[in-house]
Amino acid sequence: MTTTSTPPAVTPAAAAPSPARLRTPGAFVLGAVLLLGVAPLALSDFRLSLLAKYLCYAIVAVGVSLAWGRGGLMVLGQGVFFGLGGYAMAMHLKLADAAATGETLPDFMQLYGTGDALPWWWKPFANPAFALAMTVLLPMAVAALLGFLVFRRRVRGAYFAILSQALAAALSIWLIGQQATTGGTNGLTGIQGFFGYSLDDPVNQRMVYFVIAVVLLLLLAGARQLFVSRYGELLVAVRDSEERVRFLGYNPADVKLVAYVLAAGTAGLAGALFVPAVGIISPALIGIVPSIGFVIGAAVGGRASLVGAVLGAVAVAWAQSTLSDAFPAAWTYLQGLLFVLAVGFLPGGLASLGVVLRRRRARTGTPATGETV
């Protein structure tokens, strides 16, 4: 006598993905719709160009969230890598603008009288492929060298933050002192074209915005996958207990170095995209104050949350543009106060506000909405 086995019934939990699994793709789709669909239709050309600038800061925040939020590295020198990427892009665009008018030297070099010869370290940036590669590889190379020297000596905490700020100050001072070859305090200004497209045309400015928005979305997707990967878990372990990770056979210096280099690459890419969006790159955009501003945006939004860090960077940049005009003397103090409040009283940023309220409700025994005692 034979019996036929009945296949096991499919439970609802196995048949459909959980809401938690759908939350991340849903948020990504919503962000894509808002950035690529709603914003270009709802905003004027001027407002859209401002949003493109803010999204460049959001790209930096993705790297800050990885290095600081996930790895515990207080990266207060991201302006260095932002500036390296920005200058690499601006150098190529200035050379392209000069070639379009039949000149061999950028306009500021003719103004300051550097001679008829282009500096040797400018010449490779005439090649667009080389310039594009350097916007990311040069910041990553500098970060790799600095990280190798610092992490091998187990420098961390406030000492690492001070070294990062010292590097930002040194680069800014050097750029100001090289007026004949870097534009000095003015930087590289008056950029007219972007790989053959005129930046004076509003249509091309919208194209630049779409490029920046797509790059941000792709970086968010890639960083999310990195967060949930084995390396992301190992980075959290290094942040929480570095000695235990070392006893397990991993080298914490290598783990932190990878995060630091990736954060530098994202900052360099953001700087490169910032140049066509704004048309300028100068030492004032890459010194100590801008570097702190990058960290403040991620801290206010929530450095451990990619979406929180991005939204915080956009919000702080918007507040700086609006409030600094109305209160130029008070904005710096307000910015510092935001950082102190975020780090001291809400370490997870605004992204963790819901979790904090739920925990407080659980401790006090207050029922949630819709519940009865």
Side-chain angles (χ1 to χ4, degrees):
M1 184 176 180
T2 61
T3 59
T4 58
S5 60
T6 304
V10 179
T11 62
S18 63
R21 291 186 176 182
L22 294 176
R23 191 175 302 147
T24 299
F28 183 84
V29 172
L30 178 61
V33 170
L34 292 175
L35 290 177
L36 303 178
V38 176
L41 294 176
L43 300 178
S44 64
D45 292 335
F46 174 73
R47 296 295 180 185
L48 198 65
S49 64
L50 281 180
L51 181 57
K53 173 184 173 181
Y54 301 157
L55 293 185
C56 291
Y57 296 151
I59 292 176
V60 181
V62 173
V64 173
S65 180
L66 173 66
W68 185 29
R70 204 73 176 176
L73 302 174
M74 177 66 82
V75 283
L76 289 179
Q78 292 302 94
V80 172
F81 312 120
F82 184 85
L84 290 174
Y87 269 89
M89 175 63 76
M91 288 166 66
H92 170 72
L93 297 183
K94 292 296 289 184
L95 291 175
D97 288 346
T101 59
E103 301 289 344
T104 57
L105 295 178
D107 50 4
F108 74 93
M109 289 188 183
Q110 301 175 28
L111 177 65
Y112 296 138
T114 58
D116 297 330
L118 189 69
W120 64 268
W121 52 278
W122 269 74
K123 294 180 180 179
F125 289 93
N127 187 313
F130 178 84
L132 284 174
M134 286 298 101
T135 61
V136 177
L137 295 182
L138 183 59
M140 294 178 74
V142 173
L145 177 60
L146 178 64
F148 179 81
L149 297 175
V150 169
F151 297 139
R152 292 288 177 176
R153 294 181 176 273
R154 301 185 183 181
V155 177
R156 49 184 155 175
Y159 300 102
F160 174 74
I162 292 172
L163 284 174
S164 299
Q165 281 202 325
L167 182 62
L171 178 63
S172 179
I173 293 171
W174 181 83
L175 290 172
I176 292 174
Q178 305 297 318
Q179 186 172 10
T181 54
T182 65
T185 55
N186 295 327
L188 303 181
T189 63
I191 295 172
Q192 302 295 323
F194 181 62
F195 294 96
Y197 295 93
S198 174
L199 292 176
D200 293 331
D201 190 343
V203 175
N204 294 334
Q205 281 287 349
R206 284 183 168 255
M207 177 191 68
V208 171
Y209 165 79
F210 280 113
V211 170
I212 295 173
V214 169
V215 169
L216 174 60
L217 290 171
L218 292 177
L219 285 176
L220 280 172
R224 171 62 183 173
Q225 292 302 314
L226 191 62
F227 272 33
V228 299
S229 66
R230 184 174 181 179
Y231 170 77
E233 296 177 354
L234 184 60
L235 187 59
V236 174
V238 171
R239 179 196 66 190
D240 294 341
S241 182
E242 187 172 324
E243 294 301 326
R244 286 187 179 183
V245 173
R246 184 176 288 108
F247 290 151
L248 292 174
Y250 295 98
N251 188 348
D254 294 339
V255 177
K256 293 190 290 187
L257 180 62
V258 172
Y260 189 51
V261 170
L262 290 177
T266 59
L269 182 58
L273 295 172
F274 181 87
V275 171
V278 180
I280 182 177
I281 188 72
S282 71
L285 297 169
I286 65 176
I288 294 177
V289 175
S291 297
I292 296 176
F294 293 143
V295 174
I296 290 175
V300 170
R303 63 182 185 267
S305 167
L306 282 171
V307 176
V310 166
L311 294 179
V314 173
V316 170
W318 172 82
Q320 181 177 8
S321 298
T322 55
L323 297 180
S324 60
D325 293 336
F327 309 100
W331 164 247
T332 304
Y333 297 103
L334 178 59
Q335 193 177 35
L337 180 62
L338 284 174
F339 182 68
V340 172
L341 291 176
V343 174
F345 299 97
L346 197 62
L350 295 177
S352 66
L353 189 58
V355 176
V356 173
L357 292 177
R358 284 195 296 269
R359 288 177 178 174
R360 181 172 298 179
R361 187 183 298 118
R363 287 197 302 266
T364 57
T366 304
T369 304
E371 294 180 351
T372 57
V373 181

